[in-house]
Amino acid sequence: MSVFIALLPAYVLSIFYRSFLSVIAGPVMADLDIGPAAFGLLGAAWFVAFAAAQFVVGWSLDRVGPRRTVAVAMTIGSAGAFLFAQAGGGVSAGLAMVLIGLGCSPVFMSSLFLFARLSSPARFGLLTSLFIALGSLGNVVGAAPLAIAAQHYGWRGAMTAMAACFLAATVLAVALVRDPPRTASSAPDEGLLQGLASILKLRPLWLLAPLTLFGYAIVATVRGLWIGPYMTQVHGYDAVSAGHAATVMAIAMILGAFVYGWLESRTGRAKAIVFWGTLLTALGFVLLALFGQDAPLVAIALFSLVGAAGFTYAILIAHARQFFPEHLIGRGMTCANFLFIAGAAAVQSASGWFIAAERMAGLGPSETFARLHWIFAALLLISAAIYASAPVRPKA
């Protein structure tokens, strides 16, 4: 419970900052004078910084502990949050997103590190799912509430308020996070690169890698960047109505995380849950490509299906966790998280360039987004096919 009190507010903000841009896309692009490609890069900047920091975060958790790791990073993130609210152009906004990404980078991994050290392996998947589900309230805050706040106070006023929340969460985390007792181990004391090399030698993780790279990334990209523009450009919604649509998807993601955590705790079948959830997510994208433009409620229902079915993040981490030796828990989980976040950075950036290119080719929003959704479905199906060959658990 202490981990939830100390780090959950920070994780709510971490989820907020990876998903808020879609709701205020119009005013941000207009105010900063940027187009879809630059907007995609703006969203990717957070993920690039977050992903790049994961290797140092993993080493720091194993060698320094979560308390100092979180304190230093979140102080940097607080500065970035205030900078974003005052950004005068794409470059300064991008720099701010980099700083925020660095600030958020150790929050989730510190929580998982503490769960792994302080609770039994059987409870790891459930605790992780609960933490992700509750943290996903950041998706809700970054949807309709943000759209309404931006409408009344401007996007800069709304983001200044969120920066103040980031600073408060930093103070709370620094005050309450405690390092777990160190455990005696006969394992070698590996440095940053040695530990990474040991993790890369774990062959089962290579079969998890494609789905780790694309599964979360695609869902995060849809919720974080494109559901808002889709509803405004394809169905004529205004910003607040599009924010409500994003809220529905965010709630579906929370419910999905709760259901997946319950299923994993009851059955222990992490791999099966992730595999079938991924196939259902791919089906959601196929249906979006075929029928999403027909009616707004159909589109919202299908986005909700994608959000609920595709949020297998926690269960995939629980599956990967089984293959990490105890002395490399921090580095192992942050290596997996690197793939989650690096994938999101790549997909967000590439999707922005793709939409910009389709527009230059003269395609309308409906056809452009349909093509994007076909690509997402294909990536998920290929990743799931590779994942099917992964072992359920380590060999005894």
Side-chain angles (χ1 to χ4, degrees), residues 38-64:
F39 183 67
L41 289 174
L42 190 61
W46 186 97
F47 288 95
V48 169
F50 190 108
Q54 289 307 294
F55 298 110
V56 175
V57 167
W59 174 86
S60 183
L61 289 175
D62 284 329
R63 299 291 294 273
V64 178

Side-chain angles (χ1 to χ4, degrees), residues 273-297:
I273 292 170
V274 172
F275 178 76
W276 290 107
T278 302
L279 293 186
L280 186 56
T281 308
L283 175 62
F285 278 115
V286 169
L287 295 176
L288 265 172
L290 294 173
F291 307 114
Q293 72 279 4
D294 292 349
L297 292 182

Side-chain angles (χ1 to χ4, degrees), residues 150-200:
Q151 187 179 59
H152 285 84
Y153 305 108
W155 72 267
R156 293 184 185 276
M159 295 311 299
T160 299
M162 296 310 299
C165 291
F166 200 115
L167 180 60
T170 300
V171 173
L172 182 67
V174 172
L176 297 182
V177 171
R178 293 291 180 267
D179 295 330
R182 291 188 175 273
T183 57
S185 173
S186 59
D189 187 14
E190 296 177 319
L192 177 60
L193 296 180
Q194 290 175 310
L196 177 59
S198 296
I199 291 165
L200 293 178

Side-chain angles (χ1 to χ4, degrees), residues 232-255:
T232 57
Q233 296 171 22
V234 175
H235 293 293
Y237 274 29
D238 61 21
V240 173
S241 297
H244 286 306
T247 300
V248 173
M249 183 179 180
I251 292 172
M253 292 168 71
I254 294 173
L255 294 175

Side-chain angles (χ1 to χ4, degrees), residues 3 22 32 240 255 322:
V3 177
S22 69
L32 300 181
V240 173
L255 294 175
Q322 300 177 70

Side-chain angles (χ1 to χ4, degrees), residues 337-374:
N337 204 42
F338 167 80
L339 293 179
F340 282 118
I341 302 303
V347 171
Q348 290 210 359
S349 179
S351 64
W353 286 105
F354 176 82
I355 289 176
E358 296 293 281
R359 287 184 181 179
M360 289 183 64
L363 273 70
S366 295
E367 189 173 359
T368 296
F369 280 111
R371 291 187 176 189
L372 182 64
H373 293 153
W374 280 116

